[in-house]
Amino acid sequence: MKNMLISPSLLAADFARLGEELKAVEAAGADMLHLDVMDGVFVPNISFGMPVIASLRKASSLFFDVHIMIVDPLRYIEELAKAGASGVTFHLEAAEDVGSVIRAIKARGMKAGLTLKPGTPVERLLPWLPELDLALVMSVEPGFGGQSFMPKMMDKVSAIRREADRLGLGDLLIQVDGGVARDTAAACGAAGANCLVAGSAIFGKADYAAETEAIRAAANGSLG
Ligand code: DX5
Ligand code: ZN
């Protein structure tokens, strides 16, 4: 059976205890850690940046899956690499030249991810698939945790899955972010996702391991 990768979003963690929260999701079976960087311009919220990522890096060797919701992403690739990002996913709406951002991420030895807001057509992302390690479908408006899952976005996941299969991109990660929980995970898996971000669903529960496993099991049940 295929195994859904789970990337807990630290945005929903207790920021007074970030190191402990990181250790806890790691022990709970997280495959990666999702770090949401927001600039208050591309999205109407501000989260955290390089110093936080760099401090967490010292405490863990987990894959750091950094999702940047910032304008002019090219400007910060170098600093994200220095801070310890393993992969960087940026918004195509925010980049003047998508190709140069992808190349800059890879040139620093990181995995390159591309994403889009719910209102942006998936056709704008599809041409980049051969150059990407990860394609992220946002299933909420970026900016805040705890919002409701938008099932309609699974059409984008299916379109990416079809195109990836057609091109033979077997290693591509197709990730869903926003409102993912045990009751929405199956739809993600059925549409062809192989990696799920979950923030409030995991950090909002007392038992992170049980929730991580419940999300993975629900998603795996729908995988081929
Ligand atoms: C939203 C962020 C998400 C967020 C998900 O802009 O990209 O990663 O933390 O939170 P939940 O899982 O609570 O929807
Ligand atoms: Zn995110």
Side-chain angles (χ1 to χ4, degrees):
M1 184 155 74
K2 289 188 191 167
N3 212 14
M4 183 66 78
L5 300 176
I6 308 292
S7 190
S9 168
L10 204 65
L11 194 62
D14 177 355
F15 280 23
R17 300 171 37 252
L18 279 185
E20 290 164 48
E21 294 276 62
L22 165 59
K23 290 289 174 207
V25 284
E26 208 167 352
D31 298 291
M32 335 178 176
L33 182 73
H34 188 83
L35 296 141
D36 291 293
V37 175
M38 304 176 184
D39 66 355
V41 180
F42 184 71
V43 289
N45 194 12
I46 298 175
S47 55
F48 52 78
M50 315 305 165
V52 171
I53 299 173
S55 296
L56 292 169
R57 180 76 289 168
K58 292 185 201 129
S60 169
S61 56
L62 207 57
F63 185 99
F64 280 6
D65 161 37
V66 181
H67 173 197
I68 53 173
M69 286 154 272
I70 63 175
V71 294
D72 200 3
L74 189 58
R75 199 169 149 194
Y76 294 99
I77 301 308
E78 179 73 28
E79 282 183 63
L80 286 162
K82 283 189 190 146
S86 315
V88 176
T89 300
F90 67 99
H91 277 262
L92 57 80
E93 303 91 347
E96 214 168 281
D97 178 355
V98 170
S100 20
V101 185
I102 295 173
R103 285 189 294 277
I105 295 170
K106 289 185 168 177
R108 289 306 317 247
M110 300 182 290
K111 302 288 184 194
L114 186 62
T115 187
L116 71 184
K117 291 181 171 182
T120 304
V122 73
E123 286 70 27
R124 284 184 61 189
L125 187 143
L126 297 178
W128 296 106
L129 290 184
E131 293 171 54
L132 297 174
D133 298 296
L134 181 152
L136 166 61
V137 172
M138 291 303 301
S139 40
V140 298
E141 284 298 336
F144 299 91
Q147 304 180 75
S148 300
F149 183 77
M150 300 165 74
K152 191 79 192 119
M153 294 302 125
M154 296 307 101
D155 294 351
K156 290 185 181 178
V157 175
S158 305
I160 293 170
R161 169 53 64 205
R162 270 197 305 277
E163 184 67 356
D165 288 352
R166 191 180 72 81
L167 297 171
L169 306 174
D171 292 337
L172 182 74
L173 289 182
I174 303 180
Q175 189 181 61
V176 179
D177 180 12
V180 173
R182 55 173 89 193
D183 59 330
T184 52
C188 302
N194 50 19
C195 183
L196 300 180
V197 175
S200 49
I202 291 176
F203 287 100
K205 304 287 186 324
D207 187 342
Y208 298 171
E211 196 58 27
T212 302
E213 206 29 66
I215 293 170
R216 192 183 276 121
N220 279 341
S222 62
L223 288 177

